[in-house]
């Protein structure tokens, strides 16, 4: 296979809609960080993080003959007035980013296949055994901050990543990882409401509200964390909001990042969501991962934390909900209104 010209790949990445692209040699990743993180229990019950570790650490097990990892990023930050108080993390307010980035990756691969027939590739968008932040750093797109987020120079950490492994070399691998710009700052560590940031960019998922609101969707959240569901029901942006490197966000113009109607709802409306409303509003968004009952459970906690007296009748009604998850959450929230 020929050596691929990065100037052309950069043009192609831009033409399919990616904001940033970079290239790294497909060399194995030292196992320490991943294995120590999993061994410490920081992955909570996300067993898949420890599974397929060999492939995560060596992309040639995913694509024999892998030579290059191409890393892409898209800025997603928006500040639409109608969603400014949304209790949903910014990345999840619009169309599911997986489909947006996958479509872009698909278009990129299609063009690659036409120009370089026989080129082998393996891609992923926040799925599959690819360590996207490691590759994005190696490709020079930025670095992993103390908040565990991937931070770029032009867009801060308001970016989503996609990764493509190919079995050809490129003509320019750039200058390697970008410099760490956190310096002595500790704002994110000081601001995390649950102490989930445990140093060196590691996040203890068990304590992180992103994990608790999204992945821990089938049982009650430990009570100490429920009290932190303060206008926050899907994901958490706190450690990004406080970051000084996010002070100059760039508005993501593309309509695929525009918020959907669900992002205009408040906590009370989300707690009272009917099945019909859920079916109308949620499919096609990242919120679907929390599922109907998980989303309502989170919103019910948030009502309790807010001590909204006028939510009492809704909470009383939810105490008779068909979902045990929601019923128990509603009983807890009522106690917060009326201890
Ligand atoms: Fe803490 Fe929220 Fe950041 Fe998780 S997402 S580490 S809970 S501030
Ligand atoms: Fe780094 Fe400070 Fe941003 Fe945390 S808040 S990621 S320490 S710059």
């Amino acid at each position: 296979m020929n050596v691929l010209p990065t100037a052309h790949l950069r043009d192609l990445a831009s033409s399919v809609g990616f904001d940033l692209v970079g290239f790294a040699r497909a060399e194995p990743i030292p196992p320490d960080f991943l294995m120590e993180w999993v061994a410490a229990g920081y992955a909570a019950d996300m067993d898949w993080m420890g599974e397929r570790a060999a492939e995560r650490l060596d992309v040639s097990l995913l694509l024999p003959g892998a030579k290059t990892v191409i890393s892409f990023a898209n800025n997603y930050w928006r500040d639409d007035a109608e969603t400014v108080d949304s209790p949903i993390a910014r990345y999840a307010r619009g169309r599911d980013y997986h489909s947006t980035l996958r479509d872009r990756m698909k278009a990129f691969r299609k063009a690659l296949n036409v120009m370089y027939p026989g080129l082998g590739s393996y891609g992923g968008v926040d799925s599959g055994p690819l360590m996207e932040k490691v590759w994005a750093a190696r490709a020079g797109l930025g670095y992993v901050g103390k908040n565990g987020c991937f931070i770029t120079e032009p867009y801060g950490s308001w970016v989503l990543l996609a990764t493509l492994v190919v079995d050809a070399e490129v003509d320019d691998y750039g200058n390697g990882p970008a410099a760490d710009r956190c310096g002595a700052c500790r704002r994110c560590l000081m601001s995390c409401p649950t102490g989930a940031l445990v140093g060196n960019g590691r996040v203890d998922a068990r304590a992180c509200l992103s994990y608790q609101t999204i992945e821990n969707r089938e049982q009650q959240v430990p009570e100490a964390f429920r009290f932190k569901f303060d206008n926050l029901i899907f994901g958490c942006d706190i450690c990004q909001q406080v970051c000084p490197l996010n002070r100059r966000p760039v508005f993501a113009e593309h309509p695929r990042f525009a918020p959907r109607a669900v992002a205009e709802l408040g906590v009370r409306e989300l707690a009272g969501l009917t099945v019909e409303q859920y079916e109308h509003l949620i499919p096609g968004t990242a919120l679907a991962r929390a599922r109907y009952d998980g989303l309502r459970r989170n919103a019910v906690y948030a009502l309790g934390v807010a001590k909204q007296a006028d939510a009492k009748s809704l909470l009383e009604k939810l105490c008779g909900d068909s979902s045990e998850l929601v019923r128990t959450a509603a009983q807890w929230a009522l106690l917060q209104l009326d201890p």
Side-chain angles (χ1 to χ4, degrees), residues 145-147 151 182 185-188 243-245:
K146 288 180 193 165
N147 58 4
I151 304 178
C182 283
C185 176
R186 290 176 50 82
R187 270 184 191 225
C188 52
C243 178
L245 301 177

Side-chain angles (χ1 to χ4, degrees), residues 112-135:
L112 267 193
N113 288 338
V114 171
M115 274 164 227
Y116 308 104
L119 179 75
S121 63
Y122 178 98
V125 176
D126 198 14
S127 61
L130 280 165
M131 297 189 64
E132 298 198 295
K133 288 189 261 188
V134 173
W135 289 115

Side-chain angles (χ1 to χ4, degrees), residues 8-29:
H8 173 230
L9 299 183
R10 286 183 187 282
D11 286 347
L12 186 55
S14 170
S15 72
V16 301
F18 288 118
D19 294 317
L20 299 175
V21 61
F23 309 90
R25 292 186 191 282
E27 291 163 354
I29 297 170

Side-chain angles (χ1 to χ4, degrees), residues 192-194 196-197 208-210 236 238-239:
C192 174
T194 55
L197 296 171
C208 178
L209 297 174
S210 280
C236 166
I238 294 170
C239 55

Side-chain angles (χ1 to χ4, degrees), residues 99-115:
S99 66
T100 299
L101 271 71
R102 266 187 210 132
D103 286 351
R104 290 173 180 186
M105 171 99 80
K106 208 167 148 189
F108 185 90
R109 285 171 93 169
K110 196 171 165 192
L112 267 193
N113 288 338
V114 171
M115 274 164 227

Side-chain angles (χ1 to χ4, degrees), residues 242-256:
V242 300
C243 178
L245 301 177
N246 279 337
R247 264 192 206 132
R248 289 182 196 84
V250 179
F251 189 85
E253 299 279 355
H254 198 282
R256 283 217 173 187

